[in-house]
Amino acid sequence: MIQYTIRRIVLAVPVLLAILIVVFALTRSIPGDPCKSILGEKATVAMCEQFTRDYGLDKPIYTQFGIYMKNLLQGDLGNSIRFGRPVTLIMIERLPLTIELGMSAMIIALLIGIPAGILSAVRRNSAIDVMTMVGANIGVSLPVFFLGLLLVYLFAVLLKDTPLQLPPSGRISAGIIAKPFYEVYEMGIEEGGLKYNFYEFIANHYVFNAIITRDWELLKDVLRHLLLPAVALSTIPLSIIARMTRSSMLEVLGLDYVRTARAKGLTERKVVLKHALRNALLPVVTIAGLQLGGIFSGAVLTETIFGLAGVGLSMFEAITSRDFPIVQGLVIVIAFIYVAFNLLVDLSYAFLDPRIRLD
Amino acid sequence: MAAITEIPSDNIADIGDYKANSLWRLTVRRLFRQRSAIVGMIILAVLIIVAVFAPLIAPYDPTAVLIGVEDVKKREAPCIHLLGCPEDQPQHIMGIDGNVRDVFSRIVYGTRVSLRIGLFTVTIAVTMGTLLGATAGFIGGWLDNLIMRLMDVILAFPFFLLAIAIVFVLGPGLQNAMLAIAIVSMPAYARVVRATVLSVRETDYVEASRALGASNIQILFSRILPNALPPLIVLATLGIATAILDTAALSFLGLGAQPPTPEWGTMLGSERNQIFSAPHLVFIPGFAISITVLAFNLLGDGLRDALDPRLVHAGVKSD
């Protein structure tokens, strides 16, 4: 297993390098003056000369790539044109929300998708099965941005002034303050510096922050705000996971060892949940990992609709204001997270199925 | 001698024809046995009719602004005479949008735009993917490695995110959006074609064609690609659904079709803040996208089940 892990990690390095090369190539293929597109239209001649020197734009392309790589390895993703602040800082502020949103969506997708798939497979051709599969088909066909707006209409307009009303936008209600845990516990973190940034990054996970500071009022408010976007974002992965679980379960239920288990006189419940499910879940793990890319992409649309200031909304704002450094930085960071997650999925797969690591 | 060579070659041709026909006939028969695939085909047929006869169906020009033409207000709710809307009001069965245009006409013309987006995007993706996959599989060696690693890199990015990055660089617009979606969906087709080339390349009938002096190109088109067709058709049908969905999403973000093009994603995007005051401007285009994507998804799933004999044997989807 250790050997397999090391091999997979080593194999991921060229992929990461290739991602950087692709993003670099995309950067350099922007039509027009690179200085103007990166510093903004207001850049003066002097600023542009400085920029050309800094990024070696007057030097050969491989030198430029060297400078680009050096900056990246130092965690420098450039400065946002619009905010005039380092992209890395914007990321520290905004990535936690996207992580929480994505994780909530994934949890909803798994918690509903897997049981629905199992039930569908066990009660094949029953009303439940038909309903689940029709639902799954509709689920993959609904655009996230449309579903999000539908939910807003339902829970913020139609159900207004009922207990079911949910906030249509924002991360927390006005008046509620998310006090970072390092202030609550008086850890004496000074503003600025790497340590502060790290603590800030952790504290910006509001759900997590609320739990460790035991601020249940905040937790309730954050979760209420998170619910609609998470549901909107979870539909497509949920549908795909439900379908995958169903077909994989059906395949496993037809195998000999399941018949043996039944012949032994085990209850149907035990056969399905103990014998069949473990093997049936293997392909589901892979497909769930692949959905992560969809979650990140969907976050751009979901956050835009629900006015959530995560990296997805940053991406949308950066697109509309042509804030190039942010788009570049976000693409790199999200692609890296995606590769890392798929690596984890591969490893867990190998962990679950010994045949893979022995290959 | 002449007679002897003639008879077998005729027979072979017969058998070939018979087989080819029966696969497709069987597929069609299986396809028509699936309720969901039939639903998909019916929706699709309606959409195609709407797209073809758009000028006859739409009462207004989709880009015509009705200020001064009729007594209508911005973002007016649907008015259907049959459902009790006063006769003296002009009938707009899907209402009026923020620029005082007839929504129904825009939706009808939008069908054209969306179907075209789906078909064009997938055609580009399949063509590029097939060429690359066939080259990789046929020539092999370093070229194979180069092409397939390049495809891996595309797959290393989240699909929609890479599309955003590409359009951002190329500049917003429907054409660039379609190109971006085509580029990011290409690897799937390249992989399928390459896998087929590799599995078929060494078979006896390809050897036989080669011995008869067929060129690589001939072998590729008449011997190898037909084998790749079933999975390609399934992928392409589902790919149309994805292409329509993602191009609509790009348009929603302002990266795809630009106003006043009657594109559903653009229509929804430009009126998304009106969800509280004029929800019909969000619901109608959203519903149109969903139903179109659903039709292609249903048809694609049906085709997969119909074309994959493995599923039938495994008893998974035989019913």
Side-chain angles (χ1 to χ4, degrees), chain B residues 81-151:
Chain B
H81 288 161
L82 272 176
L83 294 180
C85 178
E87 284 289 336
D88 53 337
Q89 258 184 45
Q91 169 162 280
H92 293 281
I93 58 172
M94 290 181 180
I96 298 291
D97 75 358
N99 290 307
V100 200
R101 294 172 296 208
D102 178 49
V103 175
F104 178 61
S105 305
R106 291 178 66 71
I107 291 288
V108 167
Y109 274 92
T111 318
R112 274 190 176 184
V113 180
S114 282
L115 291 184
R116 208 179 288 159
I117 288 170
L119 281 178
F120 273 19
T121 312
V122 168
T123 310
I124 302 169
V126 170
T127 314
M128 289 194 300
T130 304
L131 282 177
L132 288 173
T135 316
F138 232 76
I139 297 176
W142 66 270
L143 194 63
D144 178 21
N145 244 317
L146 180 76
I147 293 175
M148 292 328 284
R149 289 302 80 75
L150 205 65
M151 297 296 117

Coordinates of all heavy atoms in Angstrom, one line a residue, chain B residues 81-151:
Chain B
H81 N -55.4 34.8 -23.8 CA -56.8 35.2 -23.9 C -57.7 34.0 -23.5 O -58.7 34.2 -22.8 CB -57.1 35.5 -25.4 CG -56.6 36.9 -25.8 ND1 -56.4 37.3 -27.0 CD2 -56.1 37.9 -25.0 CE1 -55.8 38.5 -27.1 NE2 -55.7 38.9 -25.8
L82 N -57.3 32.8 -23.8 CA -58.1 31.6 -23.4 C -58.3 31.5 -21.9 O -59.2 30.9 -21.4 CB -57.5 30.4 -24.0 CG -57.9 30.0 -25.4 CD1 -57.1 28.8 -25.9 CD2 -59.4 29.7 -25.5
L83 N -57.2 32.0 -21.2 CA -57.3 31.8 -19.7 C -57.8 33.0 -19.0 O -57.5 33.3 -17.8 CB -55.9 31.5 -19.2 CG -55.3 30.1 -19.7 CD1 -53.9 29.9 -19.1 CD2 -56.2 29.0 -19.2
G84 N -58.5 33.9 -19.7 CA -59.1 35.0 -19.1 C -58.4 36.3 -19.1 O -58.8 37.3 -18.5
C85 N -57.4 36.4 -19.9 CA -56.7 37.7 -20.1 C -57.6 38.5 -21.0 O -58.2 38.1 -22.0 CB -55.4 37.5 -20.7 SG -54.5 39.0 -21.1
P86 N -57.9 39.8 -20.6 CA -58.8 40.6 -21.4 C -58.5 40.7 -22.9 O -57.3 40.8 -23.2 CB -58.7 42.0 -20.8 CG -58.1 41.8 -19.4 CD -57.3 40.5 -19.5
E87 N -59.5 40.6 -23.7 CA -59.3 40.5 -25.2 C -58.7 41.7 -25.7 O -58.0 41.7 -26.8 CB -60.7 40.3 -25.9 CG -61.3 38.9 -25.7 CD -60.5 37.9 -26.6 OE1 -59.9 38.2 -27.6 OE2 -60.6 36.7 -26.2
D88 N -58.9 42.9 -25.1 CA -58.3 44.1 -25.6 C -56.8 44.2 -25.4 O -56.1 45.1 -25.9 CB -59.0 45.3 -25.1 CG -59.0 45.3 -23.6 OD1 -58.9 44.2 -23.0 OD2 -59.2 46.4 -23.0
Q89 N -56.2 43.3 -24.6 CA -54.8 43.3 -24.3 C -54.1 42.5 -25.4 O -54.6 41.4 -25.7 CB -54.5 42.8 -23.0 CG -54.1 43.9 -22.0 CD -53.8 43.3 -20.6 OE1 -53.0 42.4 -20.6 NE2 -54.3 43.8 -19.6
P90 N -53.0 42.9 -25.9 CA -52.3 42.0 -26.8 C -51.8 40.7 -26.1 O -51.4 40.7 -25.0 CB -51.1 42.8 -27.3 CG -50.9 43.9 -26.3 CD -52.3 44.1 -25.6
Q91 N -52.0 39.6 -26.9 CA -51.7 38.3 -26.2 C -50.2 38.0 -26.3 O -49.6 38.0 -27.4 CB -52.5 37.2 -26.9 CG -52.1 35.8 -26.6 CD -53.1 34.8 -26.9 OE1 -54.1 34.6 -26.2 NE2 -52.9 34.1 -28.0
H92 N -49.6 37.7 -25.2 CA -48.2 37.3 -25.1 C -48.2 36.1 -24.1 O -48.2 36.3 -22.9 CB -47.3 38.4 -24.6 CG -47.2 39.5 -25.5 ND1 -46.4 39.5 -26.6 CD2 -47.7 40.7 -25.5 CE1 -46.4 40.6 -27.3 NE2 -47.3 41.4 -26.7
I93 N -48.2 34.9 -24.7 CA -48.5 33.7 -23.9 C -47.4 33.4 -22.9 O -47.6 32.7 -21.9 CB -48.8 32.4 -24.7 CG1 -47.7 32.1 -25.6 CG2 -50.1 32.6 -25.4 CD1 -47.9 30.8 -26.3
M94 N -46.2 34.0 -23.1 CA -45.1 33.8 -22.1 C -44.7 35.2 -21.5 O -43.6 35.3 -20.8 CB -43.9 33.1 -22.7 CG -44.3 31.6 -23.0 SD -42.9 30.8 -23.6 CE -43.5 29.1 -23.9
G95 N -45.4 36.2 -21.8 CA -45.1 37.5 -21.2 C -44.1 38.3 -22.0 O -43.7 37.9 -23.1
I96 N -43.6 39.3 -21.3 CA -42.7 40.3 -22.0 C -41.5 40.4 -21.1 O -41.5 40.3 -19.9 CB -43.4 41.7 -21.9 CG1 -44.7 41.7 -22.7 CG2 -42.5 42.8 -22.4 CD1 -44.5 41.6 -24.2
D97 N -40.3 40.5 -21.8 CA -39.1 40.5 -21.0 C -38.6 42.0 -20.7 O -39.4 42.9 -21.0 CB -38.0 39.7 -21.7 CG -37.4 40.5 -22.9 OD1 -37.9 41.6 -23.2 OD2 -36.5 39.9 -23.5
G98 N -37.5 42.1 -20.1 CA -37.0 43.4 -19.6 C -36.7 44.4 -20.6 O -36.6 45.6 -20.4
N99 N -36.6 43.9 -21.9 CA -36.4 44.9 -23.0 C -37.6 45.0 -23.9 O -37.5 45.4 -25.0 CB -35.2 44.4 -23.9 CG -33.9 44.6 -23.1 OD1 -33.6 45.7 -22.6 ND2 -33.1 43.5 -23.0
V100 N -38.8 44.6 -23.3 CA -40.1 44.7 -24.0 C -40.1 43.9 -25.3 O -40.4 44.4 -26.3 CB -40.5 46.2 -24.2 CG1 -42.0 46.2 -24.5 CG2 -40.2 47.0 -23.1
R101 N -39.6 42.6 -25.1 CA -39.7 41.7 -26.3 C -40.6 40.6 -25.9 O -40.8 40.3 -24.7 CB -38.3 41.2 -26.7 CG -37.4 42.3 -27.2 CD -36.0 41.8 -27.3 NE -35.4 41.4 -26.1 CZ -34.1 41.4 -25.8 NH1 -33.2 41.8 -26.7 NH2 -33.6 41.1 -24.6
D102 N -41.2 39.9 -26.9 CA -42.1 38.8 -26.7 C -41.3 37.6 -26.3 O -40.5 37.1 -27.1 CB -42.9 38.5 -28.0 CG -43.8 37.3 -27.8 OD1 -44.6 37.3 -26.8 OD2 -43.8 36.4 -28.7
V103 N -41.5 37.1 -25.1 CA -40.7 35.9 -24.6 C -41.0 34.7 -25.4 O -40.0 33.9 -25.7 CB -41.0 35.7 -23.1 CG1 -40.3 34.5 -22.6 CG2 -40.6 36.9 -22.3
F104 N -42.2 34.4 -25.7 CA -42.6 33.2 -26.5 C -41.7 33.1 -27.8 O -41.2 32.1 -28.1 CB -44.1 33.2 -26.8 CG -44.5 32.0 -27.6 CD1 -44.3 30.7 -27.1 CD2 -45.1 32.1 -28.8 CE1 -44.7 29.6 -27.8 CE2 -45.4 31.0 -29.6 CZ -45.2 29.8 -29.1
S105 N -41.7 34.2 -28.5 CA -40.9 34.2 -29.8 C -39.4 34.0 -29.5 O -38.8 33.2 -30.3 CB -41.1 35.6 -30.5 OG -42.4 35.9 -30.7
R106 N -38.9 34.5 -28.4 CA -37.5 34.3 -28.1 C -37.3 32.9 -27.7 O -36.2 32.3 -28.1 CB -37.1 35.3 -27.0 CG -37.1 36.7 -27.4 CD -36.7 37.7 -26.3 NE -35.4 37.5 -25.8 CZ -34.3 37.9 -26.5 NH1 -34.4 38.4 -27.7 NH2 -33.1 37.7 -25.9
I107 N -38.2 32.3 -27.0 CA -38.1 30.9 -26.6 C -38.1 30.0 -27.9 O -37.3 29.1 -28.0 CB -39.2 30.4 -25.6 CG1 -39.0 31.1 -24.3 CG2 -39.2 28.9 -25.5 CD1 -37.9 30.6 -23.4
V108 N -39.0 30.3 -28.8 CA -39.1 29.5 -30.0 C -37.8 29.5 -30.8 O -37.3 28.5 -31.2 CB -40.3 29.9 -30.8 CG1 -40.3 29.4 -32.2 CG2 -41.6 29.6 -30.1
Y109 N -37.3 30.8 -31.0 CA -36.1 30.9 -31.8 C -34.9 30.3 -31.0 O -33.9 29.9 -31.6 CB -35.8 32.4 -32.1 CG -36.5 32.7 -33.4 CD1 -37.8 33.3 -33.4 CD2 -35.9 32.5 -34.6 CE1 -38.4 33.6 -34.6 CE2 -36.5 32.9 -35.8 CZ -37.8 33.4 -35.8 OH -38.4 33.7 -37.0
G110 N -35.0 30.4 -29.6 CA -34.0 29.8 -28.8 C -33.8 28.3 -29.0 O -32.7 27.8 -28.8
T111 N -34.9 27.6 -29.4 CA -34.8 26.2 -29.7 C -33.7 26.0 -30.8 O -32.9 25.1 -30.7 CB -36.1 25.7 -30.2 OG1 -37.1 26.2 -29.3 CG2 -36.2 24.2 -30.1
R112 N -33.8 26.8 -31.8 CA -32.9 26.8 -32.9 C -31.4 26.9 -32.4 O -30.5 26.1 -32.7 CB -33.1 27.9 -33.9 CG -34.1 27.6 -35.0 CD -34.1 28.7 -36.0 NE -35.0 28.4 -37.0 CZ -35.2 29.1 -38.1 NH1 -34.5 30.2 -38.3 NH2 -36.1 28.7 -39.0
V113 N -31.3 28.0 -31.6 CA -29.9 28.3 -31.1 C -29.4 27.1 -30.3 O -28.3 26.6 -30.5 CB -29.9 29.6 -30.2 CG1 -28.6 29.9 -29.7 CG2 -30.5 30.7 -31.0
S114 N -30.2 26.6 -29.4 CA -29.7 25.5 -28.5 C -29.4 24.2 -29.3 O -28.4 23.6 -29.0 CB -30.8 25.2 -27.4 OG -30.7 26.2 -26.5
L115 N -30.3 23.8 -30.2 CA -30.1 22.6 -30.9 C -28.8 22.8 -31.8 O -28.0 21.8 -31.9 CB -31.3 22.2 -31.8 CG -32.5 21.8 -31.1 CD1 -33.6 21.4 -32.1 CD2 -32.3 20.6 -30.2
R116 N -28.6 23.9 -32.4 CA -27.4 24.2 -33.2 C -26.2 24.1 -32.3 O -25.2 23.5 -32.7 CB -27.6 25.6 -33.8 CG -26.8 25.7 -35.1 CD -27.0 27.1 -35.7 NE -28.3 27.3 -36.2 CZ -28.8 28.5 -36.4 NH1 -28.1 29.6 -36.1 NH2 -30.0 28.7 -37.0
I117 N -26.3 24.7 -31.1 CA -25.1 24.6 -30.2 C -24.8 23.2 -29.9 O -23.6 22.8 -30.0 CB -25.5 25.3 -28.8 CG1 -25.6 26.8 -29.0 CG2 -24.5 25.0 -27.7 CD1 -26.1 27.6 -27.8
G118 N -25.8 22.4 -29.5 CA -25.5 21.0 -29.2 C -24.9 20.3 -30.4 O -23.9 19.6 -30.2
L119 N -25.5 20.4 -31.6 CA -25.0 19.7 -32.7 C -23.6 20.1 -33.1 O -22.7 19.3 -33.3 CB -25.9 19.8 -33.9 CG -27.2 18.9 -33.8 CD1 -28.1 19.2 -35.0 CD2 -26.8 17.5 -33.8
F120 N -23.4 21.4 -33.2 CA -22.1 21.9 -33.7 C -21.0 21.5 -32.7 O -19.9 21.0 -33.1 CB -22.1 23.5 -33.8 CG -22.6 24.0 -35.1 CD1 -23.3 23.1 -36.0 CD2 -22.3 25.3 -35.5 CE1 -23.8 23.6 -37.2 CE2 -22.8 25.7 -36.7 CZ -23.5 24.9 -37.6
T121 N -21.2 21.8 -31.4 CA -20.2 21.5 -30.4 C -19.8 20.0 -30.5 O -18.6 19.7 -30.5 CB -20.8 21.8 -29.0 OG1 -21.4 23.1 -29.1 CG2 -19.7 21.8 -28.0
V122 N -20.8 19.2 -30.5 CA -20.5 17.7 -30.4 C -19.8 17.3 -31.8 O -18.9 16.5 -31.8 CB -21.7 16.9 -30.1 CG1 -21.5 15.4 -30.4 CG2 -22.1 17.2 -28.7
T123 N -20.2 17.9 -32.9 CA -19.6 17.5 -34.1 C -18.1 17.9 -34.1 O -17.2 17.1 -34.5 CB -20.3 18.3 -35.3 OG1 -21.7 18.1 -35.2 CG2 -19.8 17.8 -36.6
I124 N -17.8 19.1 -33.6 CA -16.4 19.5 -33.5 C -15.7 18.6 -32.6 O -14.6 18.1 -32.9 CB -16.3 21.0 -33.0 CG1 -17.0 21.9 -33.9 CG2 -14.8 21.4 -32.9 CD1 -17.2 23.3 -33.3
A125 N -16.3 18.3 -31.4 CA -15.6 17.5 -30.4 C -15.3 16.1 -31.0 O -14.3 15.5 -30.8 CB -16.4 17.4 -29.1
V126 N -16.4 15.5 -31.6 CA -16.2 14.1 -32.1 C -15.2 14.1 -33.3 O -14.3 13.2 -33.3 CB -17.6 13.6 -32.7 CG1 -17.4 12.3 -33.4 CG2 -18.5 13.4 -31.5
T127 N -15.2 15.1 -34.1 CA -14.3 15.1 -35.2 C -12.8 15.2 -34.7 O -11.9 14.4 -35.1 CB -14.5 16.3 -36.2 OG1 -15.9 16.3 -36.4 CG2 -13.8 16.1 -37.5
M128 N -12.6 16.2 -33.8 CA -11.3 16.3 -33.3 C -10.8 15.1 -32.5 O -9.7 14.6 -32.6 CB -11.2 17.6 -32.4 CG -11.3 18.9 -33.2 SD -10.8 20.3 -32.2 CE -12.0 20.3 -30.9
G129 N -11.7 14.6 -31.6 CA -11.4 13.5 -30.8 C -11.1 12.3 -31.6 O -10.2 11.5 -31.4
T130 N -11.9 12.0 -32.7 CA -11.7 10.9 -33.5 C -10.4 11.0 -34.3 O -9.6 10.0 -34.3 CB -12.8 10.8 -34.6 OG1 -14.1 10.7 -33.9 CG2 -12.7 9.5 -35.4
L131 N -10.1 12.1 -34.8 CA -8.8 12.3 -35.5 C -7.6 12.0 -34.6 O -6.7 11.3 -34.9 CB -8.7 13.7 -36.1 CG -9.5 14.0 -37.4 CD1 -9.4 15.4 -37.8 CD2 -9.0 13.0 -38.5
L132 N -7.7 12.7 -33.4 CA -6.6 12.5 -32.4 C -6.5 11.1 -31.9 O -5.4 10.5 -31.9 CB -6.8 13.4 -31.3 CG -6.5 14.9 -31.6 CD1 -6.9 15.8 -30.4 CD2 -5.1 15.1 -31.9
G133 N -7.6 10.5 -31.6 CA -7.6 9.1 -31.1 C -7.2 8.1 -32.1 O -6.4 7.2 -31.8
A134 N -7.6 8.3 -33.4 CA -7.2 7.4 -34.4 C -5.7 7.5 -34.7 O -5.0 6.5 -34.9 CB -8.0 7.7 -35.7
T135 N -5.2 8.8 -34.7 CA -3.8 9.0 -35.0 C -3.0 8.3 -33.9 O -2.0 7.6 -34.1 CB -3.5 10.5 -35.0 OG1 -4.5 11.2 -35.8 CG2 -2.1 10.8 -35.5
A136 N -3.4 8.6 -32.6 CA -2.7 8.0 -31.5 C -2.7 6.5 -31.6 O -1.6 5.9 -31.4 CB -3.3 8.5 -30.2
G137 N -3.8 5.9 -31.8 CA -3.9 4.4 -31.8 C -3.2 3.8 -33.0 O -2.5 2.8 -32.9
F138 N -3.3 4.5 -34.2 CA -2.7 3.9 -35.4 C -1.2 4.0 -35.5 O -0.5 3.1 -35.8 CB -3.4 4.6 -36.6 CG -3.9 3.7 -37.6 CD1 -5.1 3.0 -37.3 CD2 -3.3 3.4 -38.8 CE1 -5.7 2.1 -38.2 CE2 -3.8 2.5 -39.6 CZ -5.0 1.9 -39.4
I139 N -0.7 5.2 -35.2 CA 0.7 5.5 -35.3 C 1.5 5.0 -34.1 O 2.5 4.4 -34.2 CB 1.0 7.0 -35.6 CG1 0.3 7.3 -37.0 CG2 2.4 7.3 -35.7 CD1 0.3 8.7 -37.4
G140 N 0.9 5.2 -32.9 CA 1.5 4.7 -31.7 C 2.8 5.5 -31.4 O 3.0 6.6 -31.8
G141 N 3.6 4.8 -30.5 CA 4.9 5.4 -30.2 C 4.8 6.7 -29.4 O 3.8 6.9 -28.7
W142 N 5.7 7.6 -29.7 CA 5.7 8.9 -28.9 C 4.5 9.8 -29.2 O 4.1 10.5 -28.4 CB 7.0 9.6 -29.1 CG 7.2 10.1 -30.6 CD1 7.8 9.4 -31.6 CD2 6.8 11.4 -31.1 NE1 7.7 10.2 -32.7 CE2 7.1 11.4 -32.5 CE3 6.1 12.5 -30.6 CZ2 6.8 12.4 -33.3 CZ3 5.8 13.5 -31.4 CH2 6.2 13.5 -32.8
L143 N 4.0 9.7 -30.5 CA 2.9 10.5 -30.8 C 1.7 10.1 -30.0 O 0.9 11.0 -29.5 CB 2.6 10.4 -32.3 CG 1.7 11.4 -32.9 CD1 2.4 12.8 -32.8 CD2 1.4 11.1 -34.4
D144 N 1.5 8.8 -29.9 CA 0.4 8.3 -29.1 C 0.5 8.8 -27.7 O -0.5 9.4 -27.1 CB 0.5 6.7 -29.1 CG -0.6 6.1 -28.2 OD1 -1.6 6.8 -27.9 OD2 -0.4 4.9 -27.8
N145 N 1.7 8.7 -27.1 CA 2.0 9.2 -25.8 C 1.7 10.7 -25.6 O 1.0 11.1 -24.7 CB 3.5 9.0 -25.4 CG 3.6 8.0 -24.3 OD1 2.8 8.1 -23.3 ND2 4.5 7.1 -24.4
L146 N 2.1 11.5 -26.6 CA 1.9 12.9 -26.5 C 0.5 13.3 -26.6 O 0.0 14.0 -25.7 CB 2.7 13.6 -27.7 CG 2.5 15.1 -27.8 CD1 3.4 15.7 -26.8 CD2 2.9 15.6 -29.2
I147 N -0.3 12.7 -27.5 CA -1.7 13.0 -27.7 C -2.5 12.6 -26.4 O -3.2 13.4 -25.9 CB -2.3 12.3 -28.9 CG1 -1.7 12.9 -30.2 CG2 -3.8 12.5 -29.0 CD1 -2.1 12.2 -31.5
M148 N -2.2 11.4 -26.0 CA -3.0 10.9 -24.9 C -2.7 11.6 -23.5 O -3.6 11.9 -22.7 CB -2.9 9.4 -24.7 CG -3.5 8.6 -25.8 SD -5.0 9.3 -26.6 CE -6.3 9.0 -25.4
R149 N -1.4 12.0 -23.4 CA -1.1 12.8 -22.2 C -1.8 14.1 -22.2 O -2.2 14.7 -21.2 CB 0.4 12.9 -22.0 CG 1.2 11.7 -21.6 CD 0.8 11.0 -20.4 NE -0.4 10.2 -20.5 CZ -0.5 9.0 -21.1 NH1 0.6 8.4 -21.6 NH2 -1.6 8.3 -21.1
L150 N -1.8 14.7 -23.4 CA -2.5 16.0 -23.6 C -4.0 15.9 -23.2 O -4.5 16.7 -22.5 CB -2.4 16.4 -25.0 CG -2.4 17.9 -25.3 CD1 -1.2 18.6 -24.7 CD2 -2.5 18.2 -26.8
M151 N -4.6 14.8 -23.6 CA -6.0 14.5 -23.2 C -6.1 14.4 -21.7 O -7.0 14.9 -21.1 CB -6.5 13.2 -23.9 CG -6.5 13.3 -25.4 SD -7.6 14.5 -26.1 CE -6.5 15.6 -26.9

